[in-house]
Amino acid sequence: MTFNLANIPVLETERLVMREWRESDFDLVHGIYSHEENSRYVGGLFNRSQSWRYMASHVGHWQFRGFGMWVVERKSDGTAIGYSGLWCPEGWPEPEVGYILHRDFHGQGYASEVARRGLQFAYEDLGWTTAISLIAADNHASKNVARKLGGHLEANTVIFDGKAEIWRHLPASEFLGASNE
């Protein structure tokens, strides 16, 4: 594991690199939040200014919490395809593993790959013992990712006036044991 100047660790999977945020990532973020298909489960459509502030909040999350979301790049060509990682802003029920990929990169197994690596980091490096994912009731793709990681539906909740399901991931001992088999 290497660290950049902001002390955000760089993680890797077989096909992907999870790295720090850069100003050049703005077009990716705005591309996600300016399209209904991408943004409907993560806050809705944003204008450019809102997209910028949201991106900046991810950088700040690392400073305040010591963990956060990484920009996800494909190793094969360096293309930034979305972001994934650990998230727990004010008002969240507990720390979450989350992700969002630009719509052009859906259906290729990338979400499961980075969510698994983020959860591994949370358990091995941060000492978390459990984690959740907050998923909209009609977001079947994200539910499938949670299931692939061993997660299960635990409860319903309301976050920022929107309904969500709390999906509980395997506890650290089970997840890490399964990852090493």
Side-chain angles (χ1 to χ4, degrees):
M1 178 169 55
T2 59
F3 289 85
N4 61 30
L5 295 176
N7 281 339
I8 297 174
V10 176
L11 306 181
E12 294 190 26
T13 69
E14 183 180 335
R15 302 180 294 165
L16 304 167
V17 173
M18 299 162 70
R19 62 151 173 86
E20 80 286 352
W21 292 83
R22 301 174 187 153
E23 187 173 349
S24 59
D25 297 321
F26 176 68
D27 287 337
L28 168 71
V29 173
H30 188 59
I32 289 170
Y33 285 96
S34 64
H35 193 280
E36 176 66 32
E37 180 183 336
N38 257 154
S39 65
R40 68 180 174 166
Y41 298 126
V42 289
L45 295 171
F46 288 177
N47 63 34
R48 289 184 63 81
S49 178
Q50 290 168 314
S51 294
W52 176 263
R53 287 192 303 272
Y54 193 67
M55 185 175 84
S57 76
H58 283 295
V59 175
H61 194 280
W62 279 98
Q63 180 67 34
F64 289 131
R65 300 281 195 211
F67 59 85
M69 296 282 184
W70 290 267
V71 173
V72 177
E73 282 186 354
R74 286 192 308 203
K75 286 182 177 179
S76 63
D77 60 6
T79 299
I81 65 170
Y83 60 89
S84 179
L86 312 173
W87 186 241
C88 192
E90 172 59 31
W92 239 234
E94 60 186 277
E96 175 183 19
V97 174
Y99 66 88
I100 182 167
L101 302 178
H102 190 280
R103 67 190 178 279
D104 293 346
F105 304 99
H106 289 182
Q108 299 176 45
Y110 295 139
S112 298
E113 194 172 324
V114 292
R116 181 177 310 284
R117 183 64 181 98
L119 192 55
Q120 179 186 7
F121 179 83
Y123 288 160
E124 289 181 343
D125 295 274
L126 299 178
W128 291 11
T129 58
T130 188
I132 64 167
S133 288
L134 294 172
I135 302 174
D138 60 342
N139 189 344
H140 301 292
S142 285
K143 291 179 188 185
N144 287 336
V145 170
R147 283 187 195 99
K148 285 180 188 176
L149 299 179
H152 66 275
L153 176 61
E154 181 175 85
N156 292 305
T157 190
V158 175
I159 297 292
F160 301 124
D161 299 324
K163 294 179 182 177
E165 296 175 351
I166 297 174
W167 281 71
R168 175 73 52 195
H169 293 286
L170 290 173
S173 58
E174 290 180 46
F175 178 83
L176 294 173
S179 295
N180 294 326
E181 294 176 356

Coordinates of all heavy atoms in Angstrom, one line a residue, residues 112-172:
S112 N -18.7 -4.9 -7.5 CA -18.4 -6.0 -6.5 C -16.9 -6.0 -6.1 O -16.5 -6.2 -5.0 CB -18.8 -7.4 -7.0 OG -20.2 -7.4 -7.2
E113 N -16.1 -5.8 -7.1 CA -14.6 -5.8 -6.9 C -14.1 -4.7 -6.0 O -13.4 -5.0 -5.1 CB -13.9 -5.7 -8.3 CG -12.5 -6.1 -8.4 CD -12.0 -6.1 -9.8 OE1 -12.7 -6.5 -10.7 OE2 -10.8 -5.7 -10.0
V114 N -14.6 -3.5 -6.2 CA -14.1 -2.4 -5.4 C -14.8 -2.4 -4.0 O -14.2 -2.0 -3.0 CB -14.2 -1.0 -6.1 CG1 -13.3 -0.9 -7.2 CG2 -15.6 -0.7 -6.5
A115 N -16.1 -2.8 -4.0 CA -16.8 -2.9 -2.7 C -16.1 -3.9 -1.8 O -15.9 -3.7 -0.6 CB -18.2 -3.2 -2.9
R116 N -15.7 -5.0 -2.3 CA -15.0 -6.1 -1.6 C -13.7 -5.6 -1.0 O -13.3 -5.8 0.1 CB -14.8 -7.3 -2.4 CG -14.1 -8.5 -1.7 CD -13.9 -9.7 -2.6 NE -15.1 -10.1 -3.3 CZ -16.1 -10.7 -2.7 NH1 -16.1 -11.1 -1.4 NH2 -17.2 -11.1 -3.4
R117 N -12.9 -4.8 -1.9 CA -11.6 -4.3 -1.5 C -11.8 -3.2 -0.4 O -11.0 -3.2 0.5 CB -10.9 -3.8 -2.7 CG -9.5 -3.3 -2.3 CD -8.6 -4.4 -1.8 NE -7.2 -3.9 -1.5 CZ -6.9 -3.7 -0.2 NH1 -7.7 -3.8 0.8 NH2 -5.6 -3.2 0.0
G118 N -12.8 -2.4 -0.5 CA -13.1 -1.4 0.5 C -13.4 -2.0 1.8 O -13.0 -1.6 2.9
L119 N -14.2 -3.0 1.8 CA -14.6 -3.7 3.0 C -13.4 -4.4 3.7 O -13.2 -4.4 4.9 CB -15.7 -4.7 2.7 CG -16.5 -5.3 3.9 CD1 -17.0 -4.3 4.8 CD2 -17.6 -6.3 3.4
Q120 N -12.6 -5.0 2.8 CA -11.3 -5.6 3.3 C -10.5 -4.6 4.1 O -10.0 -4.8 5.1 CB -10.6 -6.3 2.2 CG -9.3 -6.9 2.6 CD -8.5 -7.4 1.4 OE1 -8.8 -7.2 0.3 NE2 -7.4 -8.1 1.7
F121 N -10.3 -3.4 3.4 CA -9.6 -2.3 4.1 C -10.2 -1.9 5.4 O -9.5 -1.7 6.4 CB -9.5 -1.1 3.1 CG -8.7 0.0 3.7 CD1 -7.3 0.1 3.6 CD2 -9.4 1.1 4.3 CE1 -6.6 1.1 4.1 CE2 -8.7 2.2 4.8 CZ -7.3 2.2 4.7
A122 N -11.5 -1.8 5.4 CA -12.2 -1.3 6.7 C -11.9 -2.3 7.8 O -11.6 -1.9 8.9 CB -13.7 -1.2 6.4
Y123 N -12.0 -3.6 7.5 CA -11.8 -4.6 8.5 C -10.3 -4.8 8.9 O -9.9 -4.8 10.1 CB -12.3 -6.0 8.0 CG -13.8 -6.0 8.0 CD1 -14.5 -7.0 7.2 CD2 -14.6 -5.2 8.7 CE1 -15.9 -7.1 7.2 CE2 -16.0 -5.2 8.7 CZ -16.6 -6.2 7.9 OH -18.0 -6.3 7.9
E124 N -9.4 -4.9 7.9 CA -8.0 -5.2 8.2 C -7.2 -4.0 8.7 O -6.4 -4.1 9.6 CB -7.3 -5.7 6.9 CG -7.7 -7.2 6.6 CD -7.0 -7.7 5.3 OE1 -6.4 -6.9 4.6 OE2 -7.1 -8.9 5.2
D125 N -7.5 -2.8 8.0 CA -6.6 -1.7 8.3 C -7.3 -0.7 9.3 O -6.6 0.0 10.1 CB -6.3 -0.9 7.0 CG -5.5 -1.7 6.1 OD1 -4.2 -1.7 6.3 OD2 -6.0 -2.5 5.3
L126 N -8.6 -0.6 9.3 CA -9.3 0.3 10.3 C -9.8 -0.4 11.5 O -10.3 0.3 12.4 CB -10.4 1.1 9.5 CG -10.0 1.9 8.3 CD1 -11.2 2.5 7.7 CD2 -8.9 3.0 8.7
G127 N -9.9 -1.7 11.5 CA -10.4 -2.4 12.7 C -11.9 -2.4 12.8 O -12.4 -2.8 13.9
W128 N -12.6 -2.1 11.7 CA -14.0 -2.2 11.8 C -14.4 -3.7 12.1 O -13.7 -4.6 11.6 CB -14.7 -1.8 10.5 CG -14.6 -0.3 10.2 CD1 -13.9 0.6 10.8 CD2 -15.3 0.3 9.1 NE1 -14.0 1.8 10.2 CE2 -14.9 1.7 9.1 CE3 -16.2 -0.1 8.2 CZ2 -15.4 2.6 8.2 CZ3 -16.7 0.8 7.3 CH2 -16.3 2.1 7.3
T129 N -15.5 -3.9 12.8 CA -16.0 -5.3 13.0 C -17.2 -5.6 12.2 O -17.6 -6.7 12.1 CB -16.3 -5.5 14.5 OG1 -17.2 -4.5 15.0 CG2 -15.0 -5.4 15.3
T130 N -17.9 -4.5 11.7 CA -19.1 -4.7 10.9 C -19.2 -3.5 10.0 O -18.6 -2.5 10.2 CB -20.3 -4.8 11.8 OG1 -21.5 -5.2 11.0 CG2 -20.6 -3.6 12.6
A131 N -20.1 -3.6 9.0 CA -20.4 -2.5 8.1 C -21.7 -2.7 7.4 O -22.2 -3.9 7.4 CB -19.3 -2.4 7.0
I132 N -22.3 -1.6 6.9 CA -23.5 -1.7 6.2 C -23.4 -1.1 4.8 O -22.4 -0.5 4.5 CB -24.7 -1.0 7.0 CG1 -24.3 0.6 7.1 CG2 -24.9 -1.6 8.3 CD1 -25.5 1.4 7.5
S133 N -24.4 -1.3 4.0 CA -24.6 -0.5 2.8 C -26.1 0.0 2.9 O -27.0 -0.8 3.2 CB -24.4 -1.3 1.6 OG -23.0 -1.6 1.4
L134 N -26.3 1.3 2.6 CA -27.6 1.8 2.5 C -28.0 1.8 1.0 O -27.4 2.3 0.2 CB -27.7 3.2 3.0 CG -27.4 3.4 4.5 CD1 -27.3 4.9 4.9 CD2 -28.5 2.7 5.3
I135 N -29.2 1.1 0.7 CA -29.5 0.8 -0.6 C -31.0 1.1 -0.8 O -31.9 0.7 0.0 CB -29.3 -0.7 -1.0 CG1 -27.8 -1.0 -0.8 CG2 -29.7 -1.0 -2.4 CD1 -27.5 -2.5 -1.0
A136 N -31.3 1.9 -1.9 CA -32.7 2.2 -2.2 C -33.4 0.9 -2.5 O -32.9 -0.1 -3.1 CB -32.8 3.1 -3.4
A137 N -34.7 0.8 -2.1 CA -35.5 -0.4 -2.2 C -35.6 -1.0 -3.7 O -35.6 -2.2 -3.9 CB -36.9 -0.2 -1.7
D138 N -35.5 -0.1 -4.6 CA -35.6 -0.5 -6.0 C -34.3 -0.6 -6.7 O -34.2 -0.8 -8.0 CB -36.6 0.3 -6.8 CG -36.3 1.8 -6.9 OD1 -35.4 2.2 -6.1 OD2 -36.8 2.5 -7.8
N139 N -33.2 -0.5 -6.0 CA -31.9 -0.6 -6.6 C -31.4 -2.1 -6.5 O -30.6 -2.4 -5.7 CB -30.9 0.3 -5.9 CG -29.6 0.4 -6.6 OD1 -29.2 -0.4 -7.4 ND2 -28.8 1.4 -6.2
H140 N -31.9 -2.8 -7.5 CA -31.6 -4.3 -7.5 C -30.2 -4.6 -7.8 O -29.6 -5.6 -7.2 CB -32.6 -5.0 -8.4 CG -34.0 -4.8 -8.1 ND1 -34.6 -5.3 -6.9 CD2 -34.9 -4.0 -8.7 CE1 -35.8 -4.9 -6.9 NE2 -36.1 -4.1 -7.9
A141 N -29.5 -3.8 -8.6 CA -28.1 -4.0 -8.9 C -27.2 -3.9 -7.6 O -26.4 -4.8 -7.4 CB -27.6 -3.1 -10.0
S142 N -27.5 -2.9 -6.8 CA -26.7 -2.7 -5.6 C -27.0 -3.8 -4.6 O -26.2 -4.3 -3.8 CB -27.0 -1.4 -4.9 OG -26.3 -0.4 -5.7
K143 N -28.3 -4.3 -4.5 CA -28.6 -5.4 -3.6 C -27.8 -6.7 -4.1 O -27.4 -7.4 -3.2 CB -30.1 -5.7 -3.7 CG -30.9 -4.6 -3.0 CD -32.4 -5.0 -3.1 CE -33.3 -3.9 -2.7 NZ -34.7 -4.3 -2.6
N144 N -27.7 -6.9 -5.4 CA -26.9 -8.0 -5.8 C -25.5 -7.9 -5.4 O -24.8 -8.9 -5.1 CB -27.1 -8.1 -7.4 CG -28.4 -8.7 -7.8 OD1 -29.1 -9.3 -7.0 ND2 -28.8 -8.4 -9.0
V145 N -24.9 -6.7 -5.5 CA -23.5 -6.5 -5.0 C -23.4 -6.9 -3.5 O -22.5 -7.6 -3.1 CB -23.0 -5.1 -5.3 CG1 -21.7 -4.8 -4.6 CG2 -22.9 -4.8 -6.8
A146 N -24.4 -6.4 -2.7 CA -24.3 -6.7 -1.3 C -24.4 -8.2 -1.0 O -23.7 -8.8 -0.2 CB -25.5 -6.0 -0.6
R147 N -25.3 -8.9 -1.8 CA -25.4 -10.3 -1.7 C -24.1 -11.0 -2.0 O -23.7 -12.0 -1.4 CB -26.6 -10.8 -2.5 CG -27.9 -10.6 -2.0 CD -29.0 -11.3 -2.8 NE -30.3 -10.8 -2.5 CZ -31.0 -9.8 -3.2 NH1 -30.4 -9.3 -4.3 NH2 -32.1 -9.4 -2.8
K148 N -23.5 -10.6 -3.1 CA -22.2 -11.2 -3.5 C -21.1 -11.1 -2.4 O -20.3 -11.9 -2.3 CB -21.6 -10.5 -4.8 CG -22.4 -10.9 -6.0 CD -21.8 -10.2 -7.2 CE -22.6 -10.5 -8.5 NZ -22.1 -9.7 -9.6
L149 N -21.2 -10.0 -1.6 CA -20.3 -9.9 -0.5 C -20.8 -10.6 0.8 O -20.1 -10.4 1.8 CB -20.1 -8.4 -0.2 CG -19.5 -7.5 -1.3 CD1 -19.4 -6.1 -0.9 CD2 -18.2 -8.1 -1.8
G150 N -21.9 -11.3 0.7 CA -22.4 -12.0 1.9 C -23.4 -11.2 2.7 O -23.8 -11.6 3.8
G151 N -23.8 -10.0 2.2 CA -24.7 -9.1 3.0 C -26.1 -9.6 2.9 O -26.5 -10.4 2.1
H152 N -26.9 -9.1 3.9 CA -28.4 -9.4 3.9 C -29.2 -8.2 4.4 O -28.6 -7.3 5.1 CB -28.6 -10.6 4.9 CG -28.3 -10.3 6.3 ND1 -27.0 -10.3 6.9 CD2 -29.1 -9.8 7.3 CE1 -27.1 -10.0 8.1 NE2 -28.3 -9.6 8.4
L153 N -30.4 -8.2 4.0 CA -31.3 -7.1 4.4 C -31.5 -7.2 5.9 O -31.9 -8.2 6.4 CB -32.6 -7.2 3.6 CG -33.7 -6.2 4.0 CD1 -33.2 -4.7 3.8 CD2 -35.0 -6.5 3.3
E154 N -31.3 -6.0 6.6 CA -31.5 -6.0 8.0 C -32.7 -5.2 8.5 O -33.4 -5.6 9.3 CB -30.2 -5.5 8.7 CG -30.3 -5.5 10.2 CD -29.0 -5.1 10.8 OE1 -28.7 -3.8 10.9 OE2 -28.2 -6.0 11.1
A155 N -32.8 -4.0 7.8 CA -33.9 -3.1 8.3 C -34.2 -2.1 7.2 O -33.4 -1.9 6.2 CB -33.5 -2.4 9.6
N156 N -35.2 -1.3 7.4 CA -35.5 -0.1 6.6 C -35.2 1.1 7.4 O -35.3 1.1 8.6 CB -37.0 -0.1 6.2 CG -37.3 -1.3 5.2 OD1 -36.6 -1.4 4.2 ND2 -38.2 -2.1 5.6
T157 N -34.9 2.2 6.7 CA -34.6 3.4 7.4 C -34.9 4.6 6.5 O -35.3 4.4 5.4 CB -33.1 3.5 7.8 OG1 -32.9 4.6 8.7 CG2 -32.2 3.6 6.6
V158 N -34.8 5.8 7.1 CA -35.0 7.0 6.3 C -33.7 7.9 6.4 O -33.3 8.1 7.5 CB -36.2 7.8 6.8 CG1 -36.3 9.1 6.0 CG2 -37.5 7.0 6.6
I159 N -33.1 8.2 5.3 CA -31.9 9.0 5.2 C -32.2 10.2 4.4 O -32.6 10.1 3.2 CB -30.7 8.2 4.6 CG1 -30.4 7.0 5.5 CG2 -29.5 9.1 4.4 CD1 -29.8 7.4 6.8
F160 N -32.1 11.4 4.9 CA -32.3 12.7 4.2 C -33.7 12.6 3.5 O -33.8 12.9 2.3 CB -31.2 13.0 3.2 CG -29.9 13.1 3.8 CD1 -28.8 12.3 3.4 CD2 -29.6 14.0 4.8 CE1 -27.6 12.4 3.9 CE2 -28.4 14.1 5.4 CZ -27.4 13.3 5.0
D161 N -34.7 12.3 4.2 CA -36.1 12.2 3.8 C -36.3 11.2 2.7 O -37.4 11.2 2.0 CB -36.5 13.6 3.3 CG -36.5 14.7 4.4 OD1 -36.8 14.3 5.5 OD2 -36.2 15.8 4.1
G162 N -35.4 10.3 2.5 CA -35.6 9.2 1.5 C -35.5 7.9 2.2 O -34.8 7.6 3.1
K163 N -36.3 6.9 1.7 CA -36.3 5.6 2.3 C -35.2 4.8 1.7 O -34.8 4.9 0.6 CB -37.6 4.9 1.9 CG -38.8 5.5 2.6 CD -40.1 4.8 2.2 CE -41.3 5.4 2.9 NZ -42.6 4.8 2.5
A164 N -34.6 4.0 2.6 CA -33.5 3.1 2.2 C -33.5 1.8 3.0 O -34.2 1.8 4.0 CB -32.1 3.8 2.4
E165 N -32.8 0.8 2.5 CA -32.7 -0.4 3.2 C -31.3 -0.5 3.8 O -30.3 -0.1 3.1 CB -32.9 -1.6 2.3 CG -34.4 -1.7 1.7 CD -34.6 -2.8 0.7 OE1 -33.6 -3.4 0.3 OE2 -35.7 -3.0 0.4
I166 N -31.2 -1.0 5.0 CA -29.9 -1.3 5.6 C -29.5 -2.7 5.3 O -30.2 -3.6 5.7 CB -29.9 -1.0 7.1 CG1 -30.2 0.5 7.4 CG2 -28.5 -1.4 7.7 CD1 -30.4 0.8 8.9
W167 N -28.4 -2.9 4.5 CA -27.9 -4.2 4.2 C -26.7 -4.4 5.1 O -25.7 -3.6 5.0 CB -27.6 -4.3 2.8 CG -28.8 -4.5 1.9 CD1 -29.8 -3.6 1.7 CD2 -29.2 -5.7 1.3 NE1 -30.8 -4.2 0.9 CE2 -30.4 -5.5 0.7 CE3 -28.6 -7.0 1.2 CZ2 -31.1 -6.5 0.0 CZ3 -29.3 -8.0 0.5 CH2 -30.5 -7.7 -0.1
R168 N -26.7 -5.4 5.9 CA -25.6 -5.8 6.8 C -24.6 -6.7 6.1 O -25.0 -7.7 5.6 CB -26.2 -6.4 8.1 CG -25.1 -6.9 9.1 CD -24.5 -5.9 9.9 NE -25.4 -5.0 10.5 CZ -25.1 -3.8 11.0 NH1 -23.9 -3.4 11.0 NH2 -26.0 -3.0 11.5
H169 N -23.4 -6.3 6.2 CA -22.3 -7.2 5.6 C -21.8 -8.2 6.6 O -22.1 -8.0 7.8 CB -21.1 -6.3 5.1 CG -21.5 -5.4 4.0 ND1 -21.6 -6.0 2.7 CD2 -21.8 -4.1 3.9 CE1 -22.0 -5.0 1.9 NE2 -22.1 -3.9 2.5
L170 N -21.2 -9.2 6.2 CA -20.6 -10.2 7.1 C -19.7 -9.5 8.1 O -19.0 -8.5 7.8 CB -19.8 -11.2 6.3 CG -20.5 -12.2 5.4 CD1 -19.5 -13.0 4.6 CD2 -21.4 -13.1 6.2
P171 N -19.7 -10.0 9.3 CA -18.8 -9.5 10.3 C -17.3 -9.7 9.8 O -17.1 -10.6 9.0 CB -19.0 -10.3 11.6 CG -20.1 -11.2 11.3 CD -20.5 -11.1 9.9
A172 N -16.4 -9.0 10.4 CA -15.0 -9.0 9.9 C -14.5 -10.4 9.9 O -13.8 -10.9 9.0 CB -14.1 -8.1 10.8

